[in-house]
Amino acid sequence: MPPDIFSPDARRAAAEADLGRLWARGTDFLGCRYAILGGAMSWVSERNLVAAISNAGGFGVIACGAMTPDLLAGEIEGTLALTAKPFGVNLITMHPQLDDLIRVCLEHKVGHIVLAGGIPPGGAVRAVKDGGAKLVAFAPALVLAKRLVRSGADALVIEGSEAGGHIGPVSLTVLAQEILPHIHDVPVFVAGGLGRGEAILANLEMGASGAQLGTRFAAAAESVAHPAFKQAFVRANARDAIPSIQLDERFPVIPVRGLVNAGTKRFLEHQAETAARFQAGDLTKEAAQLVIERFWAGALRRAVIDGDVEQGSMMAGQSVGMVTSVQPTAEIVAELVGQAVAALVARRG
Ligand SMILES: Cc1cc2nc3c(=O)[nH]c(=O)nc-3n(C[C@H](O)[C@H](O)[C@H](O)COP(=O)(O)O)c2cc1C
């Protein structure tokens, strides 16, 4: 008997093949089964979560953050012990030992280096590429996307303001329309506010090669985040994840999206008190700016590792509303893929 192409199994297989084609450029680039990156999250994206994402068919990325080269080497080795699948490393461009960190990645044959926190310096771009790794960079606007491609980026991430952590001013909805139709030379991965497979699918159909998620993975079972941190994610709604508020235009505040808590309220008072001390002549403008910036020093660690969900920095994206339980990483990945496939099946009638 000929195979029944209208059977549920056949329709599902056809939809899976469609999805495979839609993100083929992303999976080829990353060397994994699904073009789903686990966005690097300081303190959260260490060996356990990174390996779990890669083992589930996605692409884990270690967050180097403020680690020293030795610590990063240990983290890469720890991850290699937990997975044989590809994974990447995210380095912050303003790290004072950026060159040494790149060297550590190259020595450990890390295939993909993500440079975050600003336009990567030319020397770093060359070091990554000469060392044989692929360079991934963040593009906050079309002109910068074009410039990054010209200067050698092998792939781009466009991250909307819905995301958790440090954010730009523009939503993914708008960035996707601004950038995806115009960048064809390299794969572009979308990030920010993505919590379901249908949304990933919609972006693939607009030309993205894959998606990067952070918030949903932060609450995964394998994440080392404190149980209180994960439970706060489970409880929170999209509207609880707001950008940090700047009180005084003389003292800029870097926008960081996270859950509102006692710390975010105290930050407003801290800004007001500091501005008053400047006004009274107790502090120079530069000193006042530093006092404001230092408020959050060590605060992400306090939230993630110590579980201080009231005073710590609870970085989270608006997608936090789609975190409804602490799930194994493989289940999250399977759910995202399943939702995209189901949407494609439904279309096939
Ligand atoms: C707790 C937390 C920490 C983060 N830390 C970093 C970081 O160190 N470096 C970075 O490039 N992005 C960081 N991000 C952003 C993520 O890599 C990712 O792009 C973002 O979470 C995607 O949006 P989503 O949160 O809506 O999924 C962080 C996000 C969160 C939630």
Side-chain angles (χ1 to χ4, degrees), residues 39-42 90 116 138 159 162-165 192-193 212-215 315-317 319:
M41 297 176 277
S42 293
N90 174 304
F138 284 83
E159 188 188 58
E162 303 93 327
Q212 167 164 305
L213 280 71
T215 297
M315 290 184 189
S319 51

Side-chain angles (χ1 to χ4, degrees), residues 64-201:
C64 173
M67 280 183 209
T68 60
D70 283 351
L71 278 176
L72 178 63
E75 208 49 52
I76 295 172
E77 285 156 21
T79 309
L80 285 167
L82 297 175
T83 185
K85 300 277 165 58
F87 62 88
V89 174
N90 174 304
L91 305 175
I92 310 283
T93 52
M94 54 262 201
H95 194 298
Q97 291 171 286
L98 181 61
D99 295 343
D100 295 331
L101 296 169
I102 292 173
R103 188 180 36 74
V104 165
C105 292
L106 297 173
E107 280 168 7
H108 288 82
K109 307 263 177 291
V110 170
H112 299 71
I113 299 179
V114 185
L115 292 179
I119 298 297
V125 173
R126 273 191 302 281
V128 169
K129 304 209 30 142
D130 291 351
K134 296 197 169 84
L135 173 74
V136 184
F138 284 83
L142 180 59
V143 296
L144 293 170
K146 289 183 174 165
R147 203 170 108 195
L148 285 164
V149 174
R150 274 199 308 274
S151 64
D154 297 301
L156 300 177
V157 178
I158 57 173
E159 188 188 58
S161 55
E162 303 93 327
H166 292 81
I167 51 170
V170 182
S171 68
L172 178 60
T173 313
V174 171
L175 273 185
Q177 295 172 81
E178 180 184 318
I179 295 179
L180 292 177
H182 304 290
I183 299 289
H184 304 291
D185 293 348
V186 301
V188 181
F189 298 93
V190 288
L194 299 171
R196 290 190 58 99
E198 297 89 339
I200 295 175
L201 174 63

